[in-house]
Amino acid sequence: MPELPEVERFRRVARGCAGRIVRRAAAADRGLLKGTSAAAFARRLKGARIGTASRHGKQLLIALSGAGCLAMHFGTNGSLQLLDADEPEPRYVRLSLAFADGRRLAYLNPRRIGTVELAKDARSFIAARGLGPDALDRRFDRKAMAAILAQRKRDVKSILMDQELVAGIGNLYSDEILFQARLHPQTPGDALDRQQIARLLAATKRVLKTAITCGAGSEQGLERLPREFLLRERRRGGHCPRCGGTVATLKSGGRTSYYCPTCQKRR
DNA sequence: TTAAGTGTTGCTCT
DNA sequence: AAGAGCAACACTTA
């Protein structure tokens, strides 16, 4: 679930903590932390002041005044919650930052697939990771989209999901984007013409922005998506919101794609 | 009851 | 270059 729109929501949660001082930090002892032990990690966070929260693709970056930056990745089902003082600790909290008023910023991750690490700053972290431009960055325009597709025979779907080419799009949203652009997920990147590239870019921006507006990742996020979204029908036996036909699936690289075989013809 | 499936990424092998 | 397969993990569904 945590692709660009969900992480954007987490960013807004973190933004609500700006200026607060971490009184107490607790990190789980195995799995997610990179570089340091849980104890050392918690020690470094204690006393830090929460600064600006930014996002690059699926990566959340929380600046800490004087202490670098906290980089979070949510894997397959991580989340970020601001807990009230009297709220009991939910399960699967892997990192908790407590403030003076008793509220806690909690990073949850049931499956422990994801990472939490300390970096110098957002910019160097993104560069070190080799991440492509954020999918919603203005600089990711038609020309940039054309460039990542050109001379690549790979499926357009795997290109969209390649974080080094463009950051933020995963299995679910790539399906939605391709549906909205009416492109078959297995179309080779270099087979798209100008018009299709324009449609793909427009669908990318529109789908991601709409998902953010609808509160992707929240309880009712899915139901609030527009009726014309395939995501609402992303299940076996689901129906295409455009033609009413049954959605099909295909598998590649261990990932399942949902698409409408009628509206998304292979060319 | 058991097995297969799942939003991510990174690794190895081909 | 790019695909497959797998591993990490804990849960849900068939």
Side-chain angles (χ1 to χ4, degrees):
Chain A
M1 186 207 304
E3 300 181 34
L4 186 153
E6 289 79 20
V7 180
E8 176 59 24
R9 199 172 63 81
F10 302 151
R11 185 185 74 80
R12 293 172 188 187
V13 171
R15 190 175 55 182
C17 299
R20 292 171 186 271
I21 309 282
V22 178
R23 287 296 165 88
R24 203 159 31 79
D29 52 351
R30 66 193 187 93
L32 302 151
L33 301 181
K34 275 173 76 174
T36 46
S37 72
F41 194 78
R43 226 177 296 127
R44 278 191 63 181
L45 286 168
K46 192 173 173 181
R49 187 151 56 95
I50 305 290
T52 307
S54 60
R55 183 189 56 67
H56 189 100
K58 306 175 188 176
Q59 200 78 49
L60 179 63
L61 300 141
I62 305 174
L64 303 167
S65 51
C69 150
L70 194 53
M72 296 177 167
H73 191 284
F74 297 89
T76 60
N77 64 346
S79 66
L80 194 70
Q81 296 179 16
L82 182 58
L83 305 171
D84 277 329
D86 57 356
E87 207 170 331
E89 191 91 337
R91 290 179 80 185
Y92 313 121
V93 172
R94 310 302 184 191
L95 176 68
S96 175
L97 305 179
F99 307 115
D101 62 3
R103 296 214 280 175
R104 295 97 77 203
L105 184 63
Y107 170 91
L108 290 77
N109 201 323
R111 285 180 215 173
R112 288 191 166 95
I113 296 175
T115 52
V116 176
E117 56 197 301
L118 281 166
K120 212 160 46 236
D121 58 78
R123 187 181 284 270
S124 64
F125 179 82
I126 293 158
R129 273 292 171 98
L131 293 173
D134 184 87
L136 281 184
D137 192 314
R138 277 167 202 268
R139 285 166 291 190
F140 186 66
D141 55 12
R142 274 189 208 190
K143 211 172 142 187
M145 177 68 94
I148 68 169
L149 294 164
Q151 289 163 330
R152 280 183 231 269
K153 305 203 177 300
R154 291 163 65 186
D155 293 352
V156 61
K157 167 144 169 155
S158 84
I159 292 172
L160 284 180
M161 290 199 301
D162 188 332
Q163 304 302 302
E164 296 187 7
L165 296 177
V166 55
I169 303 167
N171 196 29
L172 266 59
Y173 287 102
S174 62
D175 278 355
E176 188 64 54
I177 289 164
L178 291 166
F179 173 72
Q180 297 296 335
R182 303 191 199 197
L183 293 169
H184 191 285
Q186 288 179 325
T187 312
D190 64 1
L192 300 195
D193 63 28
R194 287 176 67 108
Q195 195 198 353
Q196 290 173 317
I197 292 169
R199 250 172 33 214
L200 187 59
L201 194 267
T204 299
K205 305 284 185 182
R206 183 160 42 82
V207 163
L208 297 174
K209 285 180 187 170
T210 304
I212 290 170
T213 307
C214 293
S218 66
E219 290 293 319
Q220 326 88 339
L222 240 188
E223 298 93 83
R224 286 211 292 245
L225 288 174
R227 295 219 171 275
E228 62 267 24
F229 266 46
L230 183 68
L231 273 176
R232 300 172 51 126
E233 295 290 325
R234 198 180 193 281
R235 58 174 183 274
R236 251 191 46 203
H239 294 286
C240 169
R242 187 179 293 124
C243 75
T246 308
V247 300
T249 60
L250 63 85
K251 247 189 164 72
S252 65
R255 323 295 301 277
T256 304
S257 299
Y258 285 74
Y259 68 107
C260 173
T262 306
C263 299
Q264 295 165 267
K265 291 273 189 230
R266 204 189 300 245
R267 303 227 301 143

